[in-house]
Amino acid sequence: MEQDEEGRAAASLAAARRTLRAGVEKSRALGHALARAGPRLGEIQAALPALEAAVRPIRAPRGELAAAGPHIDRAVGPAAAVLKVFDAVHGLEPPLLLPGAPGGDLPGYLAVLAQLEEARRFLAGNCGLAAQWLADIVEYLGDRDLADPRFLADLGVTLDGLKEPSGDLDGGLLAAALDILEAEFRRLLADHSAPLAMPKTGTAAVPSRVPAAAVQKLSLILDRLVANGRQDRCLAAYIDARGSVVSASLGALGLDYLRDPAQDAQALGPAVEMWGRHLEFVVRRLLESERQLCAKVFGQHKNAASPCFAEVAAQASVLDFLRFGRAVADAKKDPIKLQRLLEVFDSLNKLRLDFNRLFGGKACAEIQSQTRDLVKLLIDGAVEIFEELIVQVELQRSMPPPSDGGVPRLVNFVVEYCNRLLGDQYRPVLGQVLTIHRSWRKEVFNDRMLVDAVLNIVKALEANFDVWSKAYENAILSYLFMMNTHWHFFRHLKATKLGEILGDAWLREQEQYKDYYFSVFIRESWGALSPLLNREGLILFSKGRAMARDLVKQRLKTFNSSFDEMYCRQSSWVIPDKDLRQKMCDLVVQTIVPTYRSYLQNYGPLVEQEGNNGRYVRFTVDGMEKMLRALYMPRPRRASSFQMKHSSGNVPSAMTGLHRSTSAVK
């Protein structure tokens, strides 16, 4: 028993010792903690007034606070709504700034953007109002001393900054989204920026160069960018992209000729033809498609579409095309220049409605002005040259006719030229030009007047024939000249527009003139040689043989001399028309060779016996025929046969030779 009690006492003592030891350790730890917390307690004590103000800003009696409650509720309601919208704005940030946005869902992206714009409008309209209401409550609390003044002062400073909210209500989210849309706008333009190739002749439809889906996207993006004040940036991006497309399309055409045109009307021909085709392509296809695209993309923003298209058109070298037309109008005066002027006018006139539609706005005022000036220059220049033609034909009468009896270059030119003027290509254009010019002078013009003017040119040319024929000292050569010229009229006017107008009777008259001068020429020239080989006195009997031989010698000598003289003279003469030349040579051979052959057969033996018959029989029959058939072949002629003159008679420096245009008109 005693042992058990001793054991229990020892255990209790051990437990008490452990408890005491633990208490001592805790006391020691608490002492250390208190020592460390001393300074912190001082800080807390110093902050107690501010904490008290923050924790219990309103310290008014319950009755006064109850009276202020409704006022506080009315101000806090709008403020809570504003805060709710702020939270919604933050919720829009992920879909708007998602990498790769808007991707393939542009409508969805724009719908989210519309929510952001609506939220911004709400904040802009309500944030300041809510702040003002809260400020009114702060003032109410302060006037009634219902809250700690320091609390109210800090709250007032914060509310003053919210009364006039800045544009950055969304933290820059809208600006970032608009940047993304602008980049998408540029990308869509860049993805459809392939140049337009000039089509083959006959293709008239304007191609759809940008898919409808892309156009719709561009238009939707543009609406949002313009609505948010980015119109200028959109215009710049659009002009840059489409202007590059237009420039690339033109670069493939090779338009260097526009900037350095020739001054010679003939040399300008190919360039004017290319100019017309290229201008039609630029206006009716390239710019027409750009106008349509611009109208679709800009949609309701017509005030922006017009100047935008004008800037794109400026990069299409329209002014360069007009300056080339001006260079044609300023080229050296030449009859062929009339055709060039009519060609340029015709090209512009065909595009008149297109020009009015494309360049009718104020933004294209310079194109309109230069076009009007060019059209006036073309009309004035064309009428001046046309009215001068008959004067120039009359002035040519003082010029010498061709020394070889051929057709004057003026005749070649006028026949071909007038036929062209009355042809389908130039007649309607010239008639329109003359009509417009007369209308400026309050006068009337019709197609019959044009026909009469051309007929007067032809008749003036025909009147030159007699004057020129009398200028020849050799009458026989004048016959050849008249034969050639009238035949040229007949051959080159028959079955032509001009020939139809002149009439069959007039044409038959030209053919009759040819026949008459043909006969006179043969009779007065080669026809005079055959009688030299007559047989008078050549009776071959024994006592008269020597006398006959002398007569044969004398007549052959005379014939040879006359033949030589005529052949040498006529070997420089020409008959340009191949059929007429062959007919003439055939008749000359028939006139001379049979008589010569018969004479040699009958009387040649008389001179052959002497051994030196070459003195008298200088030509074999075959040799003579070959010589005669080689006559009248045309040769290259100098280009100075005719020149255009002023009415004073002087050769003008500005008017090139009419002869120089004869080859150009063909």
Side-chain angles (χ1 to χ4, degrees):
M1 286 292 292
E2 291 180 358
Q3 291 179 347
D4 291 337
E5 291 179 357
E6 289 178 358
R8 287 194 293 271
S12 298
L13 182 60
R17 187 177 57 184
R18 288 194 298 272
T19 301
L20 180 60
R21 183 178 297 172
V24 171
E25 292 295 334
K26 289 181 180 180
S27 297
R28 186 181 296 145
L30 181 60
H32 290 306
L34 290 174
R36 289 195 303 271
R40 181 61 179 162
L41 290 175
E43 295 176 2
I44 294 173
Q45 185 177 7
L48 281 176
L51 290 173
E52 182 182 9
V55 174
R56 298 185 62 191
I58 300 175
R59 298 177 298 179
R62 182 181 300 275
E64 294 183 12
L65 289 177
H71 297 287
I72 296 174
D73 291 340
R74 283 195 296 272
V76 171
V82 168
L83 292 175
K84 185 176 181 180
V85 173
F86 268 118
D87 290 338
V89 167
H90 289 302
L92 299 177
E93 183 173 342
L96 289 177
L97 301 183
L98 183 69
D105 186 18
L106 178 63
Y109 188 88
L110 294 177
V112 175
L113 182 63
Q115 296 177 26
L116 174 60
E117 291 175 336
E118 184 178 358
R120 279 177 55 88
R121 285 191 296 272
F122 178 85
L123 292 176
N126 294 277
C127 185
L129 182 61
Q132 182 61 52
W133 284 359
L134 290 175
D136 291 343
I137 291 301
V138 170
E139 184 179 358
Y140 177 88
L141 295 175
D143 291 343
R144 288 162 177 74
D145 196 24
L146 298 179
D148 186 270
R150 286 174 297 179
F151 171 77
L152 295 178
D154 292 341
L155 188 57
V157 171
T158 301
L159 292 175
D160 286 341
L162 296 176
K163 289 179 182 178
E164 296 182 2
S166 65
D168 195 21
L169 291 172
D170 58 356
L173 180 59
L174 178 62
L178 294 177
D179 288 341
I180 291 173
L181 278 182
E182 190 174 323
E184 179 69 6
F185 187 77
R186 293 178 180 274
R187 184 193 69 79
L188 287 170
L189 289 172
D191 286 350
H192 302 91
S193 60
L196 178 63
M198 188 168 177
K200 296 180 179 179
T201 304
T203 306
V206 177
S208 177
R209 302 169 57 200
V210 181
V215 172
Q216 184 180 16
K217 288 182 179 180
L218 287 168
S219 182
L220 291 173
I221 293 173
L222 184 89
D223 286 341
R224 298 314 329 132
L225 293 175
V226 171
N228 286 280
R230 297 203 178 192
Q231 175 172 305
D232 291 343
R233 296 175 65 169
C234 288
L235 289 175
Y238 188 91
I239 292 169
D240 180 64
R242 301 314 303 176
S244 298
V245 172
V246 168
S247 297
S249 301
L250 294 180
L253 299 180
L255 300 179
D256 292 341
Y257 69 90
L258 293 179
R259 298 165 185 84
D260 188 23
Q263 286 297 305
D264 178 79
Q266 169 60 19
L268 277 169
V272 169
E273 193 274 334
M274 284 193 300
W275 177 86
R277 290 190 294 108
H278 288 163
L279 182 61
E280 181 179 5
F281 164 72
V282 169
V283 171
R284 287 187 171 171
R285 296 183 62 81
L286 184 59
L287 290 184
E288 177 61 27
S289 64
E290 289 297 331
R291 184 193 69 82
Q292 293 180 10
L293 177 63
C294 194
K296 292 175 181 177
V297 170
F298 283 84
Q300 60 183 343
H301 309 289
K302 298 185 183 301
N303 60 328
S306 181
C308 184
F309 172 74
E311 290 293 333
V312 174
Q315 299 188 46
S317 301
V318 174
L319 293 177
D320 285 343
F321 277 95
L322 296 177
R323 280 189 283 269
F324 176 86
R326 179 70 179 253
V328 175
D330 292 338
K332 295 178 181 179
K333 191 177 277 187
D334 185 294
I336 294 300
K337 180 181 174 180
L338 173 58
Q339 296 178 6
R340 302 289 90 84
L341 296 177
L342 294 177
E343 289 161 5
V344 173
F345 174 84
D346 187 41
S347 294
L348 288 175
N349 189 54
K350 288 177 179 177
L351 298 173
R352 179 170 52 88
L353 296 179
D354 302 278
F355 263 68
N356 291 340
R357 184 178 65 258
L358 294 175
F359 313 123
K362 293 181 179 179
C364 297
E366 185 177 3
I367 293 177
Q368 298 168 28
S369 175
Q370 291 203 23
T371 303
R372 286 193 299 268
D373 292 344
L374 175 57
V375 169
K376 188 175 189 308
L377 280 175
L378 295 171
I379 292 176
D380 287 340
V383 171
E384 179 184 1
I385 294 175
F386 180 71
E387 292 180 345
E388 181 73 9
L389 286 174
I390 189 170
V391 178
Q392 294 301 325
V393 169
E394 292 169 348
L395 289 173
Q396 295 297 323
R397 291 173 189 169
S398 62
M399 300 295 290
S403 60
D404 56 10
V407 179
R409 293 182 182 273
L410 179 66
V411 176
N412 283 292
F413 173 77
V414 170
V415 169
E416 295 291 337
Y417 192 79
C418 290
N419 260 320
R420 282 198 168 225
L421 291 183
L422 293 178
D424 294 337
Q425 180 180 0
Y426 294 109
R427 181 172 177 173
V429 184
L430 180 56
Q432 186 174 11
V433 165
L434 291 169
T435 300
I436 294 173
H437 190 266
R438 291 293 180 90
S439 70
W440 292 345
R441 299 186 298 188
K442 308 299 182 183
E443 299 175 1
V444 177
F445 191 86
N446 55 50
D447 187 68
R448 185 64 237 180
M449 296 170 71
L450 168 60
V451 172
D452 290 343
V454 175
L455 292 181
N456 288 336
I457 294 172
V458 176
K459 291 175 181 177
L461 177 62
E462 188 179 10
N464 289 4
F465 294 175
D466 288 336
V467 177
W468 286 333
S469 67
K470 293 174 182 177
Y472 288 106
E473 295 181 359
N474 189 313
I476 297 175
L477 181 56
S478 72
Y479 303 148
L480 183 73
F481 165 77
M482 293 294 275
M483 177 196 72
N484 280 329
T485 308
H486 284 287
W487 181 242
H488 184 88
F489 255 24
F490 176 79
R491 284 292 300 271
H492 290 82
L493 289 175
K494 186 178 181 181
T496 66
K497 294 282 187 180
L498 183 55
E500 292 175 6
I501 295 171
L502 289 165
D504 292 338
W506 187 90
L507 289 174
R508 284 195 300 271
E509 188 178 63
Q510 302 305 311
E511 187 175 27
Q512 290 167 1
Y513 278 134
K514 180 269 297 182
D515 293 338
Y516 169 76
Y517 287 110
F518 187 98
S519 300
V520 173
F521 176 82
I522 289 292
R523 185 180 69 243
E524 298 296 327
S525 58
W526 299 104
L529 294 185
S530 295
L532 297 178
L533 297 176
N534 65 77
R535 304 188 181 194
E536 184 180 352
L538 297 179
I539 301 175
L540 300 179
F541 53 90
S542 58
K543 292 184 179 181
R545 196 172 187 84
M547 184 181 298
R549 182 182 298 112
D550 291 339
L551 285 173
V552 170
K553 289 179 181 179
Q554 182 62 38
R555 289 171 182 171
L556 283 173
K557 185 176 180 181
T558 302
F559 173 84
N560 289 337
S561 176
S562 298
F563 181 89
D564 278 342
E565 180 183 358
M566 189 168 296
Y567 182 84
C568 288
R569 183 187 302 119
Q570 296 197 19
S571 63
S572 62
W573 297 355
V574 300
I575 301 177
D577 186 85
K578 180 180 178 181
D579 294 336
L580 183 60
R581 181 172 62 251
Q582 183 163 351
K583 182 179 179 182
M584 176 64 76
C585 289
D586 289 342
L587 190 55
V588 170
V589 169
Q590 293 172 19
T591 302
I592 299 297
V593 173
T595 302
Y596 185 68
R597 179 187 294 111
S598 176
Y599 200 80
L600 291 184
Q601 288 174 350
N602 292 321
Y603 305 110
L606 291 176
V607 296
E608 290 174 357
Q609 295 175 359
E610 296 187 358
N612 59 350
N613 63 315
R615 290 178 55 190
Y616 306 105
V617 184
R618 294 180 55 191
F619 311 102
T620 65
V621 174
D622 290 341
M624 177 178 287
E625 183 173 348
K626 289 181 180 179
M627 291 173 61
L628 294 175
R629 291 193 181 281
L631 284 171
Y632 313 122
M633 296 294 294
R635 299 171 182 79
R637 230 188 290 168
R638 290 185 305 170
S640 57
S641 297
F642 289 94
Q643 290 182 315
M644 294 190 72
K645 297 181 177 181
H646 287 309
S647 56
S648 62
N650 298 321
V651 177
S653 59
M655 296 289 280
T656 60
L658 196 59
H659 62 276
R660 202 164 59 81
S661 301
T662 56
S663 61
V665 80
K666 295 180 180 179

